[in-house]
């Protein structure tokens, strides 16, 4: 029954690429603000953060614009009233702390499914008018799918706060993104962070702990040297490759070791011929798809979901042949990554 339900959903939501084809506010900064003195907060990004969290919880501020107008003050009053607090309408550090705490609690209790994420991928795709918007959609949905997977595997709630924290970071950073390119980076960076958790969850004997930490450290270090979003996408996609490489090795019982090595060798070889950041991003994301193809087979040794995986990989190949540039290839990769991650989520369900 589970297999038929999944295959029907994947068939209905199979997406092809159409012809149309940074300054993020981190959780550590939220904590710093929350611990600051009780004063009115005026920083534009801080106000956007507050507006984003209020909107998410159903207190309508309108578009997060960093301006504390009437809508924002009314939303704060409604939120304060719901908590039995005095209605001041003021943007204070204590308000930020309360919102941050409530958001983490909400996200920890949110039970999104893989079918919800696939539906969002399809729904949002219909309103995208350009490849960058499609890439942002794909990156966000890939991150959402990894949230589903990591929550499913985290049976002891060891990473519950970390998972919710990454989801909160995606919501907050989205409010400060000024372009689809920045949204893509936001989603891709959350993908890397979720993959880090997934790799740790699967590393039962701590055999790969130093390798995982090395990748995550390099992720942070290289981001510090990136001065444009294209460089950030390379950093994100290449670190995603390295973490998926670790995950593939963690799951492998020797069946796919040669194929995994060949995929990584090709990734290195192709990098040497890339002449731009977007070509490097395609190299990284396409390698991610290939590794996820292996990982789905490792997770599904009896081939229950083989047809779903084959359909996704066929779409990957067919779409690539019709892509008119690297930007369309980026979209192709993100959409197939989300589909393959959906297979993993279905297996773990």
């Amino acid at each position: 029954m589970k297999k038929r339900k999944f295959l029907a959903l994947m068939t209905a939501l199979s997406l092809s690429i159409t012809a149309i084809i940074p300054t993020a506010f981190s959780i550590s900064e939220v904590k710093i603000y929350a611990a600051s003195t009780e004063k009115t907060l005026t920083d534009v990004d801080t106000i956007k953060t507050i507006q984003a969290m209020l909107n998410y919880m159903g207190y309508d501020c309108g578009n997060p614009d960093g301006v504390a107008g009437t809508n924002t003050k009314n939303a704060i009053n409604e939120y304060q009233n719901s908590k039995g607090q005095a209605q001041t309408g003021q943007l204070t550090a204590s308000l930020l702390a309360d919102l941050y705490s409530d958001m983490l609690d909400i996200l920890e209790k949110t039970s999104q499914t893989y079918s919800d994420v696939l539906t969002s991928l399809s729904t949002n795709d219909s309103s995208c008018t350009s490849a960058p918007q499609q890439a942002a959609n794909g990156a966000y949905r890939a991150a959402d799918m990894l949230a589903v997977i990591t929550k499913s595997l985290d049976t002891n709630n060891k990473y519950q706060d970390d998972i919710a924290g990454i989801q909160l970071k995606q919501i907050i950073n989205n409010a400060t993104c000024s372009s689809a390119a920045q949204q893509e980076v936001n989603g891709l960076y959350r993908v890397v962070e979720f993959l880090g958790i997934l790799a740790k969850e699967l590393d039962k004997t701590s055999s790969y702990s130093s390798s995982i930490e090395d990748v995550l450290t390099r992720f942070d270090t290289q981001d510090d040297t990136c001065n444009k979003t294209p460089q950030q996408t390379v950093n994100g996609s290449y670190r995603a490759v390295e973490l998926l490489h670790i995950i593939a090795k963690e799951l492998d019982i020797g069946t796919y070791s040669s194929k995994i090595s060949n995929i990584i060798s090709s990734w290195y070889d192709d990098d040497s011929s890339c002449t731009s950041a977007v070509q490097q991003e395609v190299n990284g994301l396409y390698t991610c798809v290939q590794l996820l193809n292996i990982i789905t087979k490792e997770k599904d040794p009896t081939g229950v979901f083989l047809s779903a995986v084959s359909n996704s990989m066929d779409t990957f190949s067919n779409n690539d042949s019709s892509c008119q540039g690297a930007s369309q290839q980026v979209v192709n990769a993100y959409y197939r990554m989300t589909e393959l991650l959906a297979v993993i989520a279905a297996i773990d369900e």
Side-chain angles (χ1 to χ4, degrees), residues 38-41 50 54 68 72-77 79-80 85-96 99:
E38 190 66 17
K39 61 182 181 181
T40 300
L41 303 174
I50 290 171
L54 285 167
T72 299
K73 291 178 181 178
N74 288 341
I76 293 171
N77 283 335
Y79 171 73
Q80 290 172 328
Q85 300 174 349
Q87 298 176 47
T88 66
Q90 298 297 307
L91 291 89
T92 62
S94 61
L95 170 68
L96 189 62
L99 288 168

Side-chain angles (χ1 to χ4, degrees), residues 28-152:
S28 62
E29 289 171 318
V30 173
K31 290 181 178 179
I32 290 171
Y33 274 113
S36 66
T37 58
E38 190 66 17
K39 61 182 181 181
T40 300
L41 303 174
T42 59
D43 176 75
V44 171
D45 281 349
T46 308
I47 296 172
K48 286 182 180 180
T49 295
I50 290 171
Q51 291 169 328
M53 291 191 285
L54 285 167
N55 281 341
Y56 188 89
M57 287 190 279
Y59 304 100
D60 187 14
C61 296
N63 181 50
D65 56 7
V67 178
T70 302
N71 288 341
T72 299
K73 291 178 181 178
N74 288 341
I76 293 171
N77 283 335
E78 290 178 24
Y79 171 73
Q80 290 172 328
N81 182 57
S82 73
K83 296 179 72 68
Q85 300 174 349
Q87 298 176 47
T88 66
Q90 298 297 307
L91 291 89
T92 62
S94 61
L95 170 68
L96 189 62
D98 286 345
L99 288 168
Y100 178 74
S101 177
D102 287 349
M103 280 290 293
L104 285 179
D105 186 56
I106 290 170
L107 290 168
E108 284 174 358
K109 295 175 182 177
T110 300
S111 55
Q112 195 175 32
T113 67
Y114 69 81
S115 60
D116 293 332
V117 179
L118 286 174
T119 299
S120 294
L121 179 69
S122 177
T123 302
N124 290 338
D125 178 70
S126 64
S127 62
C128 291
T129 58
S130 65
Q133 288 183 354
Q134 289 178 309
N137 179 35
Y140 274 23
R141 303 297 79 80
D144 291 344
M145 199 68 79
L146 280 164
V148 174
I149 293 169
T150 50
K151 282 185 178 182
S152 175

Side-chain angles (χ1 to χ4, degrees), residues 22-25 139 173 176-192 218-241 276-278 280-282 284-285 330 334:
T23 53
F25 198 79
N173 284 355
T176 63
C177 290
S178 60
S179 66
Q182 288 187 355
Q183 289 177 314
E184 183 199 341
V185 172
N186 181 28
L188 179 55
Y189 272 31
R190 305 302 71 85
V191 165
V192 173
R218 199 151 9 93
F219 172 55
D220 290 334
T221 301
Q222 293 197 7
D223 180 64
D224 290 338
T225 63
C226 293
N227 57 21
K228 294 180 180 179
T229 51
Q231 292 181 354
Q232 289 177 309
T233 60
V234 176
N235 180 35
S237 63
Y238 275 29
R239 302 298 77 79
V241 168
S276 66
V278 68
Q280 288 179 307
E281 181 188 7
V282 172
L285 294 177
V330 167
Y334 276 128

Side-chain angles (χ1 to χ4, degrees), residues 259-280:
K259 290 183 178 179
I260 294 168
S261 296
N262 289 338
I263 289 171
I264 296 302
S265 295
S266 294
W267 172 52
Y268 281 124
D269 292 341
D270 289 344
D271 179 68
S272 63
S273 62
C274 290
T275 58
S276 66
V278 68
Q279 288 184 356
Q280 288 179 307

Side-chain angles (χ1 to χ4, degrees), residues 271-338:
D271 179 68
S272 63
S273 62
C274 290
T275 58
S276 66
V278 68
Q279 288 184 356
Q280 288 179 307
E281 181 188 7
V282 172
N283 182 32
L285 294 177
Y286 269 37
T287 304
C288 286
V289 173
Q290 294 169 337
L291 287 170
L292 282 170
N293 181 36
I294 296 294
I295 291 169
T296 55
K297 293 174 181 176
E298 291 172 329
K299 296 275 289 181
D300 182 33
T302 59
V304 173
F305 293 90
L306 179 60
S307 61
V309 175
S310 297
N311 288 341
S312 187
M313 293 306 294
D314 287 344
T315 303
F316 176 57
S317 178
N318 292 336
N319 282 355
D320 180 64
S321 64
S322 62
C323 288
Q324 299 174 4
S327 61
Q328 290 187 0
Q329 289 177 310
V330 167
V331 178
N332 184 30
Y334 276 128
Y335 281 24
R336 305 297 75 81
M337 285 172 62
T338 303

